[in-house]
Amino acid sequence: MKVAIITFPGSNCDYDLYKCVQLVGGNPEFLWHRDSSLGKVDAVMLPGGFSYGDYLRAGAIAAMSPIMAAVKEFADHGGPVLGICNGFQVLCEANLLPGALLPNTSLLFASKEVTLSVENNSTIFTDLYESDRSLRMPIAHAEGNYYADEETLERLEEDGRVMFRYLGPQGKPTNESNPNGSANHIAGIINTKGNVMGMMPHPERAVETILGSVDGLDLFKSLLNHISASKRV
Amino acid sequence: MSSPQSRPGDPQITPELVSEHGLSPSEYQKIQGILEREPSYTELGVFSAMWSEHCGYKNSKRMLKLLPTKAPWVIQGPGENAGVIDIGDDLALVFKIESHNHPSAVEPYQGAATGVGGILRDIFTMGARPIAVLDSLRFGDLNSGRVRYLFSGVVQGVGDYGNCVGIPNIGGEVYFDKGYEGNPIVNAMCLGLMKKDSLIKGEAEGVGNLLVAVGTATGRDGIHGATFASEELNEDSQSSRPQVQVGDPFTEKLLLEASLELIHSGYITGIQDMGAAGITSSAAEMGGRSGNGVEINIDWVPVREPNMTPYEILLSESQERMLVVVKTGHLKEVQAILNKWELEADEIGCVTNDGLFRVTEENKTVAAIPCLALTEGCPTYEREGKESPEIKSLRSKDLSHLKIKSSGYENIFLDLLGSANIGSKRWLYNQYDTTVRTNTVIAPGEADAGVIRLRESNKAIAATTDCNGRYVYLNPRMGAKAAVAEAARNLVCVGALPMAVTNNLNFGNPLKSEIYYQFREAVLGMSEACKLFETPVTGGNVSFYNETSSTPIYPTPVIGMVGIIDDIKHLTRPFFQESGDEILLLGNNTDELGGSEYLYVSEDLVAGEPPIVDLLAERQLQHSVLSMISKGLLQSAHDLSEGGLACALAESAFGNETNPFGVDVVLQDRLEPIPLFFGEAQGRIIVSCKKHSGNQVLQTAKNHGVPCRLIGEVVPASSGFRIAGRTVSVELDIETMSDRFFNAIPDLMNQKNDP
């Protein structure tokens, strides 16, 4: 699996993602925001960080960088695209995913471990997860409060495109356990075609026992399996 | 020496102007002697910054020489941007701590943010990639609205900057005490990692090589920041806001990546942050270290604002700027690397061979001063120190007749758990990215020290910061020893061997004899402890003049200590693991109560003799625990500090909120219950081990000559918490305790009143 990891100026989880892709047996490659072509890759990942300092809205400037035209084209042709944290914000700003990420309701940066439900385990990113599995992984963001209009939210829910939700200690989503105030406790969503996913939590930080959780591993393995399978066909 | 010209508009140099520049008449005479003429106005500004306390260490240098700085594993001691130690496997650890107290007192967010920015640059300009930050903070009482404003601003500033650059925060400490009301302390420590052969120094090597300014253009912000940091704060300090710099962590991240790429390219011979005193100090220090000279063409320096004078350009402290020495003929390659990272690089001068710090404007010399006069020529003083009689009498206060408040032991215990100093610091570190870079194995709040694993080997790096300012206030020498001992104990409790120290000496006005006394005594205590623990001091920072309207802070010599865990499988945490595990206490309980959190919370008192530190016993204790850990005997290890035995047991029981336990402990000591439960006797660690392995722990302790005894067992959380002495038993349920502990700071922060 050849994975392009896009580095924007200010990306700071690019290296973590690189190591993670290597760990699951993929073949990562850094691409620079000024590049205009992806080359021949099987998947694209947009890492976390503060692209261009996030001095406008988070992800807003990155969405207009030269490489994003190539990423859009890749996604239009059905190529898998994963955006994590700032990458999710970039995908929303680039209109590859609906909605927007507003500042956390606390107005404070939120860094902690969260528990997530897997809402849809029949996508290329999640099919190794059992449907009732709950996942522990870190979040670290100031703008993770997912927002979309009522109609979009309804469609997301009806189509099963909400991928992850923040859970409380009793295994149910609650306002207290929602770390950023996101609509419907959403932590991640996918596009209609099922090939572009964005999420605020960091699965790449939950891939080794020594880091406290391995719950992110199956996400990357799901994608790897899907790519290997589609290559065999 | 070619005489510089006076510029049109330069003010006349008068004794008042000299004094406004923080220079004494005798220092001015010394300047005249060095130059063999009157300085120009520009030169006066340059001397003022370089001979300020902040850059010149004039009141501290002589004492600092008493600190141990050498060991076989020390690659770089004090004098460079940061200290460096050898950690094996061809790797070197770079680390340093620095203060930003004054800026944070007037503009907490930017003051703290730029503090983090500065310390990161000190690390990556050595050629190392920053791998972790720690912050050591002190504030007044959170019941004051102003203190809450300062606290939340500083925490956001520390957080936003490190989060944006992508460096995990792995620990530190924060204390709240009225002693820091108007003058908070903001110290930031950074650790970096590199291959040993990547080390680069801040030296201007190679006559004819180019001086290149990298990063943001120079503006009028922060002019004379170094001098500002060398004065007391007063009511007018708010008007000093323009002297506080503004941080840009995005540019910092670009500078970080570009600098590391430049260092590896081989096109540069030296690199240094333009920190305090900006271009002046970076150029003069680089020239001074190499023995060469530097020439700066002021017209070439990129500026943000029109009509800036040489004086302003030389003394600006605009952030995110670096000075790089580029090998002749390689400017294009260097510019290409910087342009890739969207950064500007401009030639502003060159390395010369005349030993001078020379500045020209339109081909006219406006300053010409020997580099060494600026960097090494600053007069140093050893002052008279005398203990303040008030503190002496506070220290002699008899505490032996104290009675527990009528609310009883249970409520006092809960008040301690709910005090800002003992309660959970989650409110802070939930604003810090602690897991970015995916190497954090112990994050803040998870143990006595933070731990970063090394991908390159089985080793891990542990780091901590410590200092109980109350102890140092009451007895500076003993308090400083306690700071070093606690830092070492913290490292040992996670399984790390303490290796080296960086220190941040925060004190009041050294010209006052009672402050100089505190400073001298603290350095002596620190020196003694660092020698005995074989943890040399590889650098650090001195911050004097921490006073508001003449009231000094508690003397606070913060110790930043780093250690190595040889094999990551020996990583140990402070939390109990299993019901039925045996709990053992190493070290002795005593009747000491001086300087304790108990006295502060229950009696509103900071008094008494602080706990005595027996350095040899400490060292044996630490060796015994390391030996137990390497034998795989321990389930947990936790250092005893503020709040004593009762609070340490509570933290081990439910500090890990997802897996809480109860405790059943019985103590046979012939001590009054207050010091027994809440006294802060030094040299103690509580450990737990699997049922029936207590004997091996006891035997190991005995072999090291360390007092050790079984005091109880870990029980399910539902069985509650019981600590019993000979006369008093305290019993509480875990939920009540945990609630007070975890909500301590949120409850204080959520109050709206401002008495």
Side-chain angles (χ1 to χ4, degrees):
Chain A
M1 171 170 80
K2 197 163 176 196
V3 178
I5 296 167
I6 313 291
T7 303
F8 301 99
S11 294
N12 62 31
C13 305
D14 44 347
Y15 186 75
D16 301 351
L17 206 43
Y18 189 95
K19 286 280 168 197
C20 165
V21 169
Q22 276 186 330
L23 187 75
V24 296
N27 178 16
E29 175 191 29
F30 286 126
L31 286 184
W32 188 230
H33 69 122
R34 279 194 211 144
D35 294 337
S36 50
S37 149
L38 291 172
K40 211 175 144 38
V41 297
D42 301 308
V44 173
M45 294 186 188
L46 309 185
F50 290 74
S51 54
Y52 300 88
D54 281 349
Y55 288 153
L56 188 51
R57 287 182 315 277
I61 300 181
M64 286 182 247
S65 63
I67 193 74
M68 283 309 290
V71 173
K72 277 182 193 166
E73 199 188 324
F74 180 76
D76 287 345
H77 289 89
V81 178
L82 171 65
I84 298 167
C85 197
N86 193 227
F88 184 17
Q89 295 161 340
V90 174
L91 289 175
C92 289
E93 287 287 344
N95 289 324
L96 283 165
L97 288 172
L101 292 143
L102 307 181
N104 302 344
T105 42
S106 65
L107 299 181
L108 298 175
F109 191 90
S111 165
K112 57 179 176 181
E113 191 179 77
V114 293
T115 308
L116 303 173
S117 62
V118 180
E119 296 286 318
N120 179 344
N121 67 343
S122 54
T123 73
I124 58 171
F125 300 100
T126 53
D127 64 4
L128 287 177
Y129 289 117
E130 295 92 34
S131 60
D132 57 351
R133 183 155 163 207
S134 61
L135 315 177
R136 291 182 308 120
M137 60 183 73
I139 55 162
H141 59 247
E143 293 163 62
N145 176 1
Y146 183 75
Y147 173 85
D149 57 43
E150 283 300 319
E151 199 189 323
T152 308
L153 283 176
E154 263 171 43
R155 259 191 295 140
L156 282 173
E157 295 288 356
E158 276 169 21
D159 299 351
R161 286 162 51 208
V162 173
M163 299 297 291
F164 307 103
R165 268 187 247 275
Y166 301 106
L167 293 181
Q170 315 300 332
K172 295 264 180 298
T174 62
N175 289 337
E176 294 72 47
S177 53
N178 181 330
N180 50 37
S182 65
N184 298 2
H185 310 293
I186 288 172
I189 58 169
I190 200 163
N191 66 345
T192 40
K193 285 203 306 202
N195 66 320
V196 179
M197 182 170 90
M199 63 193 296
M200 288 314 296
H202 286 278
E204 84 282 14
R205 299 188 191 181
V207 291
E208 291 177 77
T209 312
I210 196 170
L211 301 178
S213 169
V214 290
D215 291 347
L217 265 184
D218 280 343
L219 191 151
F220 296 96
K221 285 184 181 165
S222 297
L223 183 58
L224 190 75
N225 285 356
H226 163 78
I227 288 167
S228 321
S230 62
K231 277 189 168 168
R232 275 198 297 274
V233 174
Chain B
M1 209 176 287
S2 60
S3 279
Q5 325 243 329
S6 171
R7 299 178 69 262
D10 276 358
Q12 173 116 31
I13 294 179
T14 61
E16 292 74 36
L17 189 71
V18 169
S19 158
E20 278 167 28
H21 278 75
L23 294 164
S24 70
S26 72
E27 286 166 350
Y28 185 70
Q29 275 175 12
K30 193 165 175 191
I31 292 171
Q32 290 169 312
I34 290 168
L35 298 177
E36 296 169 358
R37 58 175 167 78
E38 295 293 315
S40 68
Y41 175 62
T42 308
E43 289 173 328
L44 181 69
V46 167
F47 269 108
S48 149
M50 292 302 293
W51 285 14
S52 69
E53 190 66 54
H54 193 82
C55 293
Y57 292 86
K58 55 181 153 191
N59 289 300
S60 62
K61 217 171 200 168
R62 295 196 189 181
M63 290 306 301
L64 296 179
K65 291 212 166 96
L66 299 175
L67 294 169
T69 58
K70 292 193 173 74
W73 54 91
V74 173
I75 296 175
Q76 177 66 57
E80 261 291 340
N81 292 329
V84 185
I85 60 167
D86 188 335
I87 55 169
D89 304 312
D90 264 337
L91 294 171
L93 183 71
V94 182
F95 61 100
K96 196 184 179 194
I97 192 166
E98 200 161 87
S99 67
H100 242 207
N101 305 342
H102 282 74
S104 304
V106 291
E107 169 46 65
Y109 180 86
Q110 292 295 349
T114 50
V116 175
I119 196 66
L120 293 179
R121 287 193 295 282
D122 279 342
I123 300 304
F124 67 74
T125 49
M126 300 292 288
R129 180 171 281 281
I131 56 170
V133 224
L134 296 93
D135 53 336
S136 178
L137 314 175
R138 304 289 184 281
F139 299 93
D141 188 328
L142 279 179
N143 287 310
S144 141
R146 168 92 188 153
V147 171
R148 291 197 295 276
Y149 158 75
L150 290 174
F151 174 53
S152 57
V154 164
V155 170
Q156 269 193 51
V158 169
D160 283 1
Y161 205 101
N163 297 344
C164 183
V165 181
I167 316 297
N169 187 305
I170 61 162
E173 20 132 45
V174 56
Y175 285 88
F176 303 90
D177 189 297
K178 285 171 218 139
Y180 301 100
E181 198 80 38
N183 194 131
I185 289 187
V186 178
N187 294 172
M189 175 172 166
C190 182
L191 278 65
L193 187 68
M194 66 178 170
K195 292 260 184 231
K196 249 161 59 179
D197 57 12
S198 302
L199 181 65
I200 186 167
K201 297 189 180 178
E203 290 181 0
E205 283 297 340
V207 174
N209 281 344
L210 308 178
L211 294 184
V212 172
V214 174
T216 58
T218 298
R220 286 198 170 94
D221 45 338
I223 291 172
H224 268 311
T227 317
F228 166 53
S230 307
E231 293 167 358
E232 291 173 28
L233 293 168
N234 54 44
E235 274 105 53
D236 298 334
S237 294
Q238 281 300 327
S239 66
S240 300
R241 260 180 207 253
Q243 287 176 358
V244 179
Q245 314 85 334
V246 176
D248 174 3
F250 170 57
T251 301
E252 178 97 344
K253 166 73 173 160
L254 302 179
L255 267 180
L256 157 65
E257 299 300 337
S259 300
L260 292 180
E261 204 170 319
L262 277 182
I263 291 165
H264 291 296
S265 75
Y267 297 134
I268 69 171
T269 65
I271 182 165
Q272 179 153 339
D273 170 36
M274 291 190 201
I279 293 182
T280 296
S281 67
S282 52
E285 285 173 12
M286 289 178 89
R289 287 193 197 110
S290 65
N292 291 322
V294 286
E295 179 167 330
I296 293 167
N297 189 325
I298 212 82
D299 310 308
W300 296 351
V301 178
V303 290
R304 240 182 265 167
E305 300 166 64
N307 305 321
M308 284 182 70
T309 63
Y311 181 98
E312 291 172 321
I313 292 171
L314 289 171
L315 298 178
S316 158
E317 293 189 5
S318 291
Q319 293 286 292
E320 290 89 20
R321 296 179 302 159
M322 324 259 283
L323 188 64
V324 177
V325 181
V326 176
K327 289 182 185 165
T328 326
H330 291 290
L331 184 59
K332 280 226 158 62
E333 289 92 333
V334 165
Q335 277 171 331
I337 292 174
L338 290 163
N339 289 345
K340 175 189 159 195
W341 292 102
E342 325 246 325
L343 291 167
E344 301 294 327
D346 297 275
E347 179 184 347
I348 62 164
C350 62
V351 180
T352 61
N353 63 1
D354 60 6
L356 288 183
F357 171 81
R358 182 197 308 278
V359 181
T360 63
E361 183 189 30
E362 292 168 354
N363 294 322
K364 289 186 206 119
T365 301
V366 293
I369 308 168
C371 287
L372 285 172
L374 292 173
T375 56
E376 304 294 327
C378 175
T380 59
Y381 306 99
E382 194 168 335
R383 303 198 176 267
E384 200 191 336
K386 205 163 154 265
E387 182 171 27
S388 137
E390 289 86 14
I391 300 178
K392 198 170 179 178
S393 78
L394 272 180
R395 188 174 68 235
S396 340
K397 201 172 172 73
D398 180 13
L399 305 169
S400 60
H401 304 297
L402 282 178
K403 292 271 173 284
I404 194 83
K405 284 258 166 74
S406 57
S407 53
Y409 288 94
E410 275 83 3
N411 281 315
I412 293 291
F413 189 12
L414 289 174
D415 287 346
L416 280 169
L417 290 173
S419 85
N421 287 330
I422 292 175
S424 164
K425 305 300 181 293
R426 193 159 66 179
W427 189 90
L428 281 85
Y429 57 73
N430 275 358
Q431 296 184 51
Y432 300 157
D433 193 339
T434 61
T435 49
V436 62
R437 297 187 52 74
T438 54
N439 290 321
T440 308
V441 289
I442 292 188
E446 293 177 12
D448 295 329
V451 180
I452 292 283
R453 60 104 178 249
L454 299 179
R455 285 181 185 273
E456 296 80 358
S457 71
N458 278 333
K459 289 182 187 158
I461 302 293
T464 182
T465 65
D466 282 289
C467 179
N468 184 320
R470 283 181 201 145
Y471 296 172
V472 187
Y473 173 70
L474 292 167
N475 182 337
R477 192 179 298 210
M478 195 62 80
K481 283 189 206 174
V484 181
E486 188 182 345
R489 227 160 41 228
N490 283 341
L491 294 183
V492 162
C493 283
V494 297
L497 181 67
M499 298 299 290
V501 162
T502 176
N503 60 8
N504 208 136
L505 308 173
N506 305 278
F507 287 82
N509 179 348
L511 306 183
K512 298 180 183 170
S513 65
E514 66 272 22
I515 300 290
Y516 195 79
Y517 167 85
Q518 295 175 333
F519 175 70
R520 187 186 68 203
E521 288 292 305
V523 171
L524 290 173
M526 185 180 294
S527 172
E528 194 185 330
C530 287
K531 277 178 193 152
L532 200 98
F533 294 149
E534 293 179 88
T535 49
V537 178
T538 62
N541 175 251
V542 180
S543 171
F544 280 133
Y545 301 98
N546 289 288
E547 307 203 356
T548 336
S549 309
S550 285
T551 309
I553 56 158
Y554 290 152
T556 311
V558 173
I559 298 292
M561 195 182 280
V562 294
I564 297 179
I565 299 174
D566 249 336
D567 188 336
I568 195 137
K569 73 170 193 274
H570 291 141
L571 192 68
T572 306
R573 290 186 163 81
F575 307 127
F576 294 141
Q577 302 285 322
E578 219 173 323
S579 295
D581 282 357
E582 296 173 345
I583 305 172
L584 298 100
L585 172 70
L586 291 94
N588 285 323
N589 300 327
T590 67
D591 64 356
E592 294 165 297
L593 263 187
S596 64
E597 182 70 7
Y598 169 83
L599 280 188
Y600 187 73
V601 168
S602 181
E603 305 287 332
D604 195 18
L605 195 61
V606 174
E609 186 71 57
I612 289 170
V613 182
D614 177 342
L615 291 172
L616 272 172
E618 274 285 353
R619 194 173 159 85
Q620 285 166 325
L621 168 81
Q622 292 167 16
H623 282 179
S624 75
V625 170
L626 282 177
S627 163
M628 291 169 195
I629 288 174
S630 66
K631 287 181 193 163
L633 290 177
L634 301 187
Q635 294 272 67
S636 71
H638 187 25
D639 146 61
L640 268 70
S641 56
E642 289 78 19
L645 183 55
C647 289
L649 283 167
E651 286 161 5
S652 286
F654 56 77
N656 176 9
E657 215 184 0
T658 56
N659 195 19
F661 289 97
V663 163
D664 192 6
V665 160
V666 179
L667 302 159
Q668 301 297 345
D669 303 65
R670 292 184 178 278
L671 286 175
E672 289 296 317
I674 299 176
L676 176 62
F677 295 155
F678 309 124
E680 298 174 7
Q682 295 290 294
R684 294 181 298 167
I685 290 175
I686 47 169
V687 301
S688 68
C689 65
K690 290 215 154 108
K691 208 177 172 82
H692 309 308
S693 355
N695 277 337
Q696 281 172 274
V697 173
L698 289 167
Q699 190 56 49
T700 311
K702 199 175 165 193
N703 294 346
H704 285 85
V706 174
C708 177
R709 59 196 149 129
L710 190 65
I711 57 170
E713 65 168 332
V714 179
V715 298
S718 55
S719 304
F721 186 102
R722 180 172 83 111
I723 178 170
R726 294 165 65 92
T727 53
V728 175
S729 171
V730 178
E731 288 173 47
L732 283 161
D733 70 90
I734 295 296
E735 212 179 301
T736 310
M737 296 171 78
S738 169
D739 193 54
R740 286 292 288 270
F741 178 76
F742 284 107
N743 289 319
I745 291 181
D747 286 350
L748 284 161
M749 289 307 285
N750 288 337
Q751 57 183 320
K752 296 278 186 278
N753 61 317
D754 188 9

